[in-house]
Every structure is written in C-alpha cells, then in structure tokens.
Amino acid sequence: MTQTSNARIEHANLTVANPQESAQLMSDLFGWRIRWEGPSMLGGHTVHVGSEEDYLALYTNDEVRAAKPHFTKGVPLNHIGIVVDDLDSTEAKVIAAGLKPFSHGDYEPGRRFYFFDSNGIEFEVVCYN
C-alpha cells in the first residue's frame, strides 16, 4: 500500500525584471505580504512575497533588469495556480491593475481565469467554493 505524504510546495523562484513591482502586484491582488527582501546568494536581488506557509521568490539581477524580459509561455513554465476565496473581486483587482483576464472557466473542481503579468508569466486564479 502506498503511504501518503504531507509534502507541499513551499515556494517557487521566478526571475522578473522588477521584484519590488511584482511583489506589490501580488500583494495588491492576493493580500500577500513581503516576507523577506535582500541580496541573493549568487548576486542580484530577491523579494519573497506570500503567506506564512508559502511564497513566490522574485529574483532579478542587473542583466535581467536591463533586458526587461517578457518570457514566452511554457518555456519552461506554463502557469502558476493561485487559490482565492472570491474570484470576482480578484478579477476586478486584476483589471484595475491594467491586466487582462482570459480563458474563464467554470468546471470541476472550480471556477477560474488566467492573466499574464508584466513579465509574461501566466497565472491561473481559481476558486473552489
């Protein structure tokens, strides 16, 4: 018999052009807070934004800042899924931030929509109630 595990994803580390800007967006949309900010181990700068249990580590360095990258979807990441309690109010915040929700769906196990941030990173926002 297979034993179950209590493993969970603690964080994802993403390269972005401006981690402070990206962290502010995540705070505005999802009510997250900056947990830590400082120099990265191998150079550059990182901001950790999220909840007490999990977060996104938003990394940049001088080369990335200068390039202001817009990443191609699926190279290598397809999207990051974020669970919210109120899909409609979150979508209103996404629109107010100047971003465009798309691919709305209402199928098991919940309602959802997607959006791209200014770096071209796709987020899926889902509500299970």
Side-chain angles (χ1 to χ4, degrees):
M1 176 172 225
T2 304
Q3 188 175 7
T4 60
S5 170
N6 290 325
R8 64 180 178 83
I9 297 172
E10 185 226 10
H11 76 275
N13 189 315
L14 306 173
T15 298
V16 298
N18 185 328
Q20 292 86 359
E21 181 180 284
S22 293
Q24 186 62 55
L25 176 66
M26 298 296 110
S27 295
D28 292 346
L29 297 181
F30 306 124
W32 291 348
R33 67 175 184 81
I34 293 177
R35 297 166 35 128
W36 177 85
E37 179 174 358
S40 298
M41 290 180 359
L42 301 175
H45 189 81
T46 300
V47 177
H48 292 181
V49 61
S51 69
E52 293 298 320
E53 294 82 29
D54 39 56
Y55 62 96
L56 296 179
L58 306 171
Y59 167 80
T60 198
N61 60 38
D62 291 341
E63 185 178 313
V64 172
R65 282 187 191 272
K68 294 186 179 177
H70 187 85
F71 299 102
T72 302
K73 177 182 166 29
V75 182
L77 177 73
N78 286 314
H79 64 258
I80 296 172
I82 308 293
V83 178
V84 298
D85 292 331
D86 186 336
L87 193 68
D88 296 329
S89 70
T90 303
E91 183 173 11
K93 292 175 187 175
V94 167
I95 293 167
L99 304 169
K100 295 181 179 157
F102 63 93
S103 292
H104 294 77
D106 188 357
Y107 51 87
E108 287 298 326
R111 292 175 50 226
R112 68 202 68 240
F113 70 87
Y114 298 78
F115 72 91
F116 287 101
D117 75 355
S118 63
N119 297 283
I121 299 169
E122 184 178 79
F123 289 86
E124 175 184 3
V125 184
V126 63
C127 182
Y128 293 121
N129 52 15

